[in-house]
Amino acid sequence: MKNTFDVNEDGSEVKKEEPPKPEIDLRFEHIKQFSFIHGQLPLNFVDEANQYFDINKIIQRDDDVPKALTNIFKNATQTYLSLYSDQIPLSLEGDRLINIPVDCSELKLMELNEKTYTHPINGDTDFTQRQVLISTILFLKVPSNFSEKNVNDYHGNIYFNWGVNSMADVLMTKPKQDKLITPVVGRFVVFPSWITWQPIPFSGDESLRILSSKFTVHYTKG
């Protein structure tokens, strides 16, 4: 607080206090768009899964390997939805996460080479029904020349996109709306099904094997 002085008739000074300046209240509100969950399976389990898919071209969900993978991704989906417990009107019996009804609606094996899947794989959500669709992708086989350390080589990376923006938008502090992920054996990713994704073309004789799945989460108004 700053002090000022008045002068009396006799020339003496009288201290006068100025009123305090108003305080400015500032706060940050960080807007979260959405999240990814990244997981890693043990390599011996990945080897077992690859052996199964080498023999069985048609996936039987009641077989041990698909059933185990489905349960892993189902649990990951339930964990993912817990991030949005204040946003999604899920009605939970006993308020327990394990009671979220999650059904595997798709389990598909993709064997990619340099000529396949160069187009975006569109997510879909039926807004006429009370359901949420969550996708997962698991990397079972990865070409030996793929490396997370080579940040300048995008070939074979998985490109996720949830909007359209340019570098000019980023410089104006608009958030990025895309992401690149380098495939790693045993690694899986959980994300909302409305996000489009696309493997970037790559060269070579080796294949990129991806197991994709989709889970339908039915909900009632909480």
Side-chain angles (χ1 to χ4, degrees), residues 78-94:
Q78 291 172 326
T79 301
Y80 182 89
L81 288 172
S82 68
L83 301 174
Y84 298 90
S85 59
D86 59 342
Q87 176 178 328
I88 303 174
L90 293 172
S91 179
L92 303 183
E93 186 178 323

Side-chain angles (χ1 to χ4, degrees), residues 71-105:
N71 287 334
I72 290 171
F73 297 143
K74 176 180 176 179
N75 291 335
T77 296
Q78 291 172 326
T79 301
Y80 182 89
L81 288 172
S82 68
L83 301 174
Y84 298 90
S85 59
D86 59 342
Q87 176 178 328
I88 303 174
L90 293 172
S91 179
L92 303 183
E93 186 178 323
D95 209 24
R96 295 180 61 200
L97 187 64
I98 197 172
N99 291 322
I100 297 177
V102 177
D103 298 320
C104 182
S105 52

Side-chain angles (χ1 to χ4, degrees), residues 121-137:
I121 300 173
N122 293 319
D124 55 344
T125 298
D126 186 355
F127 293 103
T128 65
Q129 302 185 34
R130 288 180 175 173
Q131 63 184 28
V132 182
L133 295 183
I134 304 297
S135 293
T136 70
I137 56 175

Side-chain angles (χ1 to χ4, degrees), residues 197-214:
W197 60 281
Q198 153 184 14
I200 297 178
F202 60 93
S203 58
D205 298 329
E206 297 178 272
S207 295
L208 171 62
R209 177 177 284 181
I210 299 176
L211 181 70
S212 70
S213 57
K214 189 173 293 181

